[in-house]
Amino acid sequence: MSHLLEINNLDVKFDTDEGRITAIDNVSLTLDQGKVLGIVGESGSGKSVTAKSIMQLNPGNTIYNDNAEIIIDDENVLKFRSKHDLKKIRGGKVSMIFQEPMASFAPAIKIGSQMVEQLMLHKPLDKKEARNISIDMLNRVGIADAEKRFNQYAFELSGGMRQRAMIAMALSTMPKLLLADEPTTALDVTIQAQVINLMKDIIKEFNMGVIFITHDLGVIAQVADDVAVMYLGSVVEQGPVNEILKNPMHPYTKGLINALPDINNLDAPLTPIPGNIPSPLDRPAGCVFRTRCPHASQDGKESKVKMGLVEVKPGHWLDRCGVDCGNK
Amino acid sequence: MSENIVSVNNLSVSFDYQENFLSKKQKIKAVNNINIKIKKGSFFGLVGESGSGKTTLGRAILGANKISQGNVIFHDDQRDYDLTSISSKEMKEYRKKAQLIFQDPYAALSPRMTVRDIIAEPLEVMRITSSREETDARVRDIAAKCRLNLEHLRRFPHAFSGGQRQRISIARALVSNPKFIVADESVAALDVSIQADILNLLKQLQHELNLTYLFISHDLSVVAHVCDIVAVMYLGHIVEMAPSRELFANPKHPYTKALLSSIPSIDPENKSKAIELEGEIPSAMNPPSGCVFRTRCPHASADGKEGNIEMGLVEVEPDHWVDRCGVNCG
C-alpha cells in the first residue's frame, strides 16, 4: 500500500549572513491515511521546518538537497514550482493550523470572508455555496452562533474560539493531510482539553492524515499514533507512541521524559538535561546529541559516528549512536 | 516578629476602562477581595488561566499596581511596610527587599548592555554600593551563585540561550539581596529540558539565601513540584488554597478538579477523563454574579441559585480553604 505522505532523505539548509545553517539533516518519515504522526522536540529541533517544507513555506534563503523527496499522490511536491501546482499543496490536499491564531487571521477582514476566499480558490464554488460550507464547518467545530461569528473579526473572538475557526478554515477544503503546528500551545489547559477532543473527533470523521507538532509529550501521548522525536534537525527516535513513551531508548527521549514534572509522582526529582541546546551555527559533528549526552565518552568518538536510524525492535527506530549508549 | 513575610488583607485591584471617549468609564475588578498570608521561607504558588488575575495580584504585592481596597503588608525584620500608605522614600527601601523575575528572558534583558551591566544596574540605581569594586564583587558573587561563568559577564545577552538568559534575569533580581521574590511565569518560555534546571536553581537559591517566593504559573505540574502551598485563582478570586500535596491529592473545588484532569497524561494508555468545562473564562468586565465559576460549573443548578451566593473561602480541613459555593457542589 502506498503511503499518504512519504518524506525521503530531506535536508534543509538556510543561507544566512553568518553562514549556512543546517536546519534538517536527512529526515525520512511516512504517514498513512487516518493516522496521526506526532513530531516532538524543543525549540530549534526543526519540527516546524519539516512541516513547512511539505507546503514549501520556508523562506527564500532555503536550500533543499537534490535527492530529497516529499511524495504525496505519487508526485514529488518538493519539485513544484508553478502557481497551479503549488495551489494543490497549499490549502488543497494539504492544510495547516498554526500556533497563534491571532497572527494567522488578517485582522481587518471578517473571518467569514477569509474562509470563503480560500475555499473559492480551491474549489469550483460560487460565493453562496462557499458561505454555506463555511458556516457548516464553523458549526461542526463547535462554534455556537456560527452565522454571527462568520461576520465578525478575529479580535472579537476569544483564543479558543479563534483556534476553532482556524481548524474550521483548514478543514473546509477537505484536505487529505493536515499539518498542525503547536495548535494548542497558546491555549489555557481547560481550552486545550476542548481543542484536543475536537481534533480527535475530526481526525476520525474526516479520516485524514495528520502531522501534529508539539513540544508537549503529554499532548503527543493523547493524540498521536506514532511519534518522531527530533533534536537539532535529526530524528533520533521514532515508533508507535505507546512503545516510545513507555520504553524510550535514546538518551534524549529519556531525558525529555525525566525532565517533565509528573503530577502523579511529586517525590521524583526534576532531572534537567545538562547543558544548553547548541546554536545551529555550531551544530556538533557526528551524533548531534553528544554535547549533552550523559553517556558521551571522554575521547569524543561520538563525533565520528554517522547518524541514521536503525530498527531495534519491529517498528521502533533508534539513532545508531543511541543504540550503544542506550544499553549503558 | 511575624512568621509571615507578606499579608494580603481583603485586597481588590480595579482598573478604569472606557470603551471609547464618549462612553461611560467602567471599573474592572481584576483582583477581588483576596486574603493570603505568605510564610517566611515558603514557596507560595499561584495558579490560574489567563485573565484570572494572578499577575495583577503579584504586581500589587510589589507595589506596581494601585490598590483599590484592602491592604498589603510586608513584614521586614525591624518593621512593617504598609503598601497603601507607603511614602516614596520607603518605597525605595521596599524595592530592595522585594523583586520580580519576568516570564520572557528574551524581552527582559537589554540587548545593548553587557551581562555585567545588566546585573549591576539595580545596585547603581538603588545606590546600594558605593564603589565600582564593591559593585563588581557583588555582581561576581551573585553570578557565581546563579551558575554563570565570569567570562559570561563581558558578553551581551544575544550570545546566550533561553536558560542562560533566565539565569541572568535571576541574578539581576537577587543582586540587591531581596527577601521576597515574585516569579511571574518564570519558566513558561523555556524548553522542558531547561525548565527543570531553572526550577532546581530557584529551589537551591531559596535555601542558600533564605528567600520566599510567590511563584505564578499556569502549569499545574510545575507548581505541584516546587511549591509548598498553592492558591488557585479564577476570575479575580481565589477559589481554593491548600498545602501543595493536599491540594493535588484531594482537590475540592470543581474548577481545581477540572484543571487537574485537563493536564494531558504522558501515559498513552491513560486517555480520557478530562472533565471538560463548557465555554471559556467570562470577561472580567462582566463577571457572573455570586459564584464566578457557575457559568462553567458542571454542578451548577438549573434554578441559578449560585448567582446569589457570596464568594468567600471556608476552611474545610486544617489549612485547606475552599470557596463557599464549591464546598457543597464538590
Side-chain angles (χ1 to χ4, degrees):
Chain A
M1 194 187 103
S2 78
H3 300 291
L4 171 65
L5 167 77
E6 213 174 295
I7 300 178
N8 294 323
N9 315 319
L10 178 70
D11 285 352
V12 179
K13 293 188 168 63
F14 294 123
D15 256 339
T16 69
D17 293 343
E18 285 102 57
R20 194 166 278 194
I21 291 176
T22 302
I24 304 285
D25 183 30
N26 198 16
V27 164
S28 299
L29 297 167
T30 55
L31 175 67
D32 292 324
Q33 203 182 349
K35 292 279 179 201
V36 181
L37 170 67
I39 301 183
V40 63
E42 297 181 288
S43 38
S45 60
K47 37 191 205 310
S48 289
V49 176
T50 308
K52 284 181 181 164
S53 302
I54 299 170
M55 292 171 93
Q56 289 196 33
L57 289 178
N58 287 317
N61 59 349
T62 312
I63 299 159
Y64 299 101
N65 57 326
D66 289 334
N67 62 338
E69 290 179 318
I70 297 180
I71 295 174
I72 301 172
D73 282 346
D74 298 326
E75 283 181 291
N76 184 2
V77 300
L78 206 52
K79 296 282 183 266
F80 283 179
R81 287 294 171 270
S82 72
K83 261 199 172 151
H84 173 258
D85 279 345
L86 286 172
K87 219 164 87 178
K88 288 198 278 191
I89 46 167
R90 291 184 182 161
K93 290 176 186 170
V94 190
S95 271
M96 190 153 180
I97 307 173
F98 298 93
Q99 171 172 1
E100 194 18 272
M102 191 65 214
S104 321
F105 278 113
I109 304 173
K110 288 174 181 165
I111 301 267
S113 316
Q114 298 185 50
M115 292 184 72
V116 166
E117 185 193 4
Q118 59 101 28
L119 198 50
M120 287 173 68
L121 262 177
H122 292 291
K123 302 265 152 146
L125 297 168
D126 65 31
K127 220 171 184 169
K128 204 167 160 222
E129 289 168 328
R131 184 191 142 89
N132 289 340
I133 292 177
S134 301
I135 291 179
D136 177 47
M137 247 6 258
L138 288 174
N139 268 320
R140 272 159 98 170
V141 296
I143 291 184
D145 220 350
E147 300 235 4
K148 183 179 145 209
R149 299 294 179 195
F150 184 84
N151 285 315
Q152 286 187 322
Y153 297 94
F155 71 86
E156 295 178 275
L157 273 57
S158 65
M161 198 83 87
R162 260 181 240 138
Q163 200 56 291
R164 283 171 194 262
M166 184 88 221
I167 294 171
M169 180 154 141
L171 295 180
S172 60
T173 56
M174 303 282 167
K176 291 180 163 180
L177 172 63
L178 179 69
L179 309 176
D181 189 356
E182 304 262 12
T184 62
T185 307
L187 306 174
D188 283 317
V189 273
T190 57
I191 310 297
Q192 169 172 289
Q194 292 174 0
V195 171
I196 287 179
N197 282 345
L198 168 70
M199 289 198 66
K200 279 198 216 161
D201 292 344
I202 278 171
I203 291 163
K204 225 182 266 161
E205 187 184 334
F206 288 74
N207 194 31
M208 55 193 169
V210 179
I211 291 188
F212 199 108
I213 296 172
T214 176
H215 67 281
D216 188 333
L217 283 169
V219 173
I220 286 282
Q222 295 304 309
V223 298
D225 301 301
D226 295 294
V227 58
V229 182
M230 287 189 78
Y231 184 77
L232 269 187
S234 298
V235 174
V236 294
E237 190 162 10
Q238 191 183 341
V241 71
N242 237 330
E243 165 72 13
I244 300 293
L245 292 183
K246 293 225 156 145
N247 189 16
M249 290 167 115
H250 196 277
Y252 178 63
T253 318
K254 285 183 190 167
L256 267 187
I257 292 174
N258 288 335
L260 214 62
D262 180 4
I263 198 139
N264 297 317
N265 184 6
L266 296 181
D267 292 318
L270 293 176
T271 337
I273 300 176
N276 294 296
I277 304 171
S279 150
L281 280 170
D282 51 15
R283 203 167 177 269
C287 170
V288 281
F289 187 59
R290 71 186 162 86
T291 55
R292 299 175 75 191
C293 183
H295 309 298
S297 57
Q298 292 285 311
D299 57 3
K301 69 173 186 315
E302 287 83 6
S303 64
K304 300 199 175 62
V305 180
K306 193 169 163 4
M307 291 196 74
L309 292 173
V310 182
E311 193 168 18
V312 284
K313 273 190 211 172
H316 189 151
W317 294 77
L318 181 64
D319 180 69
R320 202 172 288 138
C321 184
V323 175
D324 302 326
C325 65
N327 298 331
K328 281 179 199 163
Chain B
M1 205 176 89
S2 164
E3 60 163 351
N4 297 320
I5 189 158
V6 173
S7 312
V8 175
N9 305 307
N10 307 317
L11 174 74
S12 296
V13 178
S14 0
F15 296 107
D16 286 333
Y17 173 80
Q18 199 174 13
E19 186 147 8
N20 59 53
F21 74 102
L22 289 171
S23 55
K24 243 173 75 185
K25 263 192 190 152
Q26 286 175 291
K27 286 246 183 249
I28 297 176
K29 271 200 170 172
V31 163
N32 215 324
N33 199 16
I34 299 280
N35 287 290
I36 49 175
K37 304 239 180 298
I38 302 177
K39 276 204 184 102
K40 263 183 198 144
S42 65
F43 214 123
F44 192 103
L46 202 53
V47 287
E49 296 180 282
S50 38
S52 61
K54 46 194 197 310
T55 296
T56 307
L57 176 56
R59 289 174 54 98
I61 294 175
L62 290 175
N65 274 340
K66 239 177 97 186
I67 292 168
S68 312
Q69 262 171 45
N71 63 21
V72 174
I73 295 169
F74 179 81
H75 309 281
D76 199 8
D77 295 342
Q78 283 87 36
R79 50 157 305 182
D80 288 354
Y81 293 85
D82 183 343
L83 295 199
T84 38
S85 58
I86 196 165
S87 68
S88 58
K89 196 176 152 220
E90 288 174 319
M91 198 64 198
K92 281 184 185 154
E93 286 292 306
Y94 178 55
R95 294 248 189 269
K96 294 178 194 166
K97 298 180 172 154
Q99 279 289 336
L100 178 65
I101 304 170
F102 294 94
Q103 166 170 7
D104 185 353
Y106 288 84
L109 306 177
S110 164
R112 291 165 201 275
M113 289 166 83
T114 62
V115 172
R116 183 259 168 212
D117 290 346
I118 287 171
I119 300 177
E121 198 179 23
L123 295 174
E124 285 154 7
V125 172
M126 297 195 268
R127 307 219 174 104
I128 293 172
T129 50
S130 46
S131 68
R132 199 183 157 89
E133 288 71 39
E134 197 186 342
T135 308
D136 278 338
R138 293 261 306 245
V139 169
R140 277 200 298 270
D141 181 46
I142 198 71
K145 286 204 169 80
C146 296
R147 284 189 264 125
L148 294 162
N149 295 339
L150 288 184
E151 53 156 326
H152 287 163
L153 294 176
R154 265 178 282 135
R155 294 199 215 151
F156 289 88
H158 71 85
F160 297 95
S161 64
Q164 286 168 315
R165 280 177 203 235
Q166 200 56 293
R167 287 209 287 269
I168 298 169
S169 308
I170 293 172
R172 177 177 57 179
L174 295 180
V175 74
S176 63
N177 258 337
K179 300 188 163 135
F180 177 65
I181 296 285
V182 175
D184 191 354
E185 297 277 11
S186 299
V187 296
L190 303 175
D191 281 314
V192 275
S193 71
I194 306 295
Q195 172 182 298
D197 181 47
I198 296 294
L199 290 172
N200 288 341
L201 177 67
L202 287 175
K203 271 267 177 204
Q204 186 194 335
L205 290 168
Q206 180 187 26
H207 297 302
E208 263 175 55
L209 306 172
N210 280 326
L211 297 170
T212 307
Y213 291 107
L214 177 65
F215 187 84
I216 299 173
S217 177
H218 69 282
D219 189 331
L220 286 141
S221 5
V222 167
V223 166
H225 264 266
V226 296
C227 296
D228 319 317
I229 177 160
V230 177
V232 181
M233 282 188 84
Y234 185 80
L235 215 55
H237 292 267
I238 290 181
V239 295
E240 187 161 5
M241 179 162 69
S244 168
R245 268 160 207 272
E246 163 72 9
L247 185 82
F248 290 100
N250 189 14
K252 302 259 192 223
H253 196 279
Y255 179 61
T256 316
K257 288 183 188 169
L259 268 186
L260 284 174
S261 73
S262 299
I263 305 172
S265 164
I266 187 178
D267 180 354
E269 279 163 14
N270 181 8
K271 298 226 181 257
S272 72
K273 51 131 208 160
I275 304 170
E276 205 177 302
L277 293 179
E278 294 274 319
E280 310 194 9
I281 209 167
S283 156
M285 235 180 297
N286 200 0
S289 64
C291 169
V292 286
F293 185 58
R294 71 186 161 89
T295 53
R296 296 175 78 195
C297 183
H299 307 298
S301 56
D303 59 359
K305 69 173 188 312
E306 288 84 3
N308 302 320
I309 297 175
E310 204 192 325
M311 292 204 70
L313 291 175
V314 181
E315 192 167 18
V316 288
E317 269 161 46
D319 289 330
H320 192 151
W321 298 77
V322 183
D323 180 69
R324 199 171 292 137
C325 184
V327 175
N328 300 323
C329 63

